[in-house]
Amino acid sequence: MASLEDYIERTQDSKTADDLFQQFDIFVGQFGVDVSSYHIVSENLRAIPIEVGLVRETFPKDWVQQYISQHYAQIDPVIDQARREAKPFHWFDVKDRIKLSAQQEHFLDELREAGLTDGLAVPVFGPKGTMAYFGLGVVDGELDITEAEELELQFACLQTHNRYVDITQIMSDAPIKGLSPREAEALKLMATGLSNNFIAERMRVSENTVDTMVRRIYAKLGVNNRISAVLRGVGSGLILP
């Protein structure tokens, strides 16, 4: 089993986000983690919508589609509670921490029915006033780990977040190809948390047109996801914070 020290060394050698997350999946897999997600939930103490802040996830596609279609991001009690915590906690223990609404109870039931029977919510605090959330899930089983192992996973998540910020900062130093006025408008709407179909409605174009614009925005900003695009847009002055 690779040690935390080994993992930190490997992440420092990672030059791209893909390399970093490959090492992350291998490391957390040693603890029985089957799937994971990584969100940046705030920057400079300013909340970022969950839909925008998602950097990457490896959850079952059916669950991801259900999460999006049912707008679960608006009621997800696990991520919401993680904003208030300093230590990891098991997903379904959230009911012992806060009083859940009927919708939130339903969300947890749906999570179990999707086969995600246990998981760890891991809050981390990083550079530039960022806070991030890692969801480490188990499919049809239990995450049987000690408190010491929970903290080891939290340190691994913290290192992953810090290294991701480092890598994206290096990428953000590269020159930006100019965005067209329509692409800049789409980027600003992305920063508000709107999905592509709602952006299409606002801009009065087809969703396929928005999909194409988003791909061009990614290419011009040198990123591959919404949160990186938004963060780079803010950092370069394309979007007002």
Side-chain angles (χ1 to χ4, degrees):
M1 184 171 181
S3 68
L4 179 61
E5 290 76 12
D6 289 336
Y7 176 66
I8 291 173
E9 184 175 345
R10 290 174 185 174
T11 60
Q12 289 302 119
D13 291 336
S14 297
K15 304 303 181 187
T16 68
D18 287 343
D19 291 342
L20 174 65
F21 293 131
Q22 182 178 23
Q23 293 298 328
F24 177 76
D25 290 341
I26 293 171
F27 182 78
V28 300
Q30 299 176 121
F31 295 83
V33 173
D34 297 317
V35 295
S36 66
S37 65
Y38 166 40
H39 307 250
I40 296 178
V41 297
S42 67
E43 184 190 34
N44 294 326
L45 305 180
R46 187 169 60 92
I48 294 174
I50 293 174
E51 304 92 329
V52 174
L54 176 65
V55 176
R56 59 99 64 168
E57 53 79 21
T58 61
F59 281 75
K61 290 183 179 179
D62 288 347
W63 171 249
V64 173
Q65 291 172 353
Q66 183 178 355
Y67 193 97
I68 294 171
S69 65
Q70 298 298 318
H71 306 289
Y72 282 153
Q74 298 175 15
I75 62 168
D76 188 337
V78 179
I79 295 182
D80 188 52
Q81 183 61 20
R83 298 176 190 268
R84 305 180 181 90
E85 299 280 346
K87 295 175 60 177
F89 63 90
H90 285 258
W91 291 345
F92 296 102
D93 288 349
V94 70
K95 64 182 182 297
D96 300 323
R97 286 170 153 74
I98 57 173
K99 182 175 177 57
L100 300 179
S101 68
Q103 282 183 312
Q104 291 173 323
E105 291 276 9
H106 177 70
F107 167 81
L108 294 180
D109 290 340
E110 292 291 301
L111 187 62
R112 286 193 185 93
E113 289 183 15
L116 296 161
T117 51
D118 195 9
L120 199 66
V122 185
V124 299
F125 299 86
K128 300 183 179 178
T130 56
M131 179 181 179
Y133 164 83
F134 286 80
L136 309 179
V138 174
V139 177
D140 295 327
E142 292 184 1
L143 191 59
D144 186 16
I145 58 175
T146 65
E147 185 175 349
E149 288 172 329
E150 285 186 8
L151 292 176
E152 188 170 355
L153 283 170
Q154 185 176 28
F155 279 119
C157 290
L158 175 61
Q159 171 63 18
T160 304
H161 174 58
N162 287 343
R163 185 64 185 136
Y164 177 77
V165 172
D166 285 344
I167 290 171
T168 53
Q169 180 60 47
I170 291 170
M171 292 170 59
S172 70
D173 289 338
I176 295 177
K177 297 178 182 178
L179 300 184
S180 72
R182 295 291 272 173
E183 290 167 352
E185 181 183 357
L187 180 59
K188 290 174 183 176
L189 291 172
M190 286 166 57
T192 67
L194 292 181
S195 61
N196 285 6
N197 62 319
F198 284 109
I199 292 174
E201 289 181 11
R202 288 282 189 92
M203 298 183 70
R204 298 185 178 183
V205 296
S206 71
E207 190 170 347
N208 285 338
T209 298
V210 174
D211 291 342
T212 300
M213 279 196 289
V214 169
R215 288 195 295 270
R216 287 203 301 261
I217 290 169
Y218 288 175
K220 289 181 178 181
L221 298 184
V223 300
N224 58 11
N225 57 66
R226 293 170 82 90
I227 182 60
S228 296
V230 170
L231 292 178
R232 184 148 199 223
V234 171
S236 61
L238 295 172
I239 303 174
L240 293 177

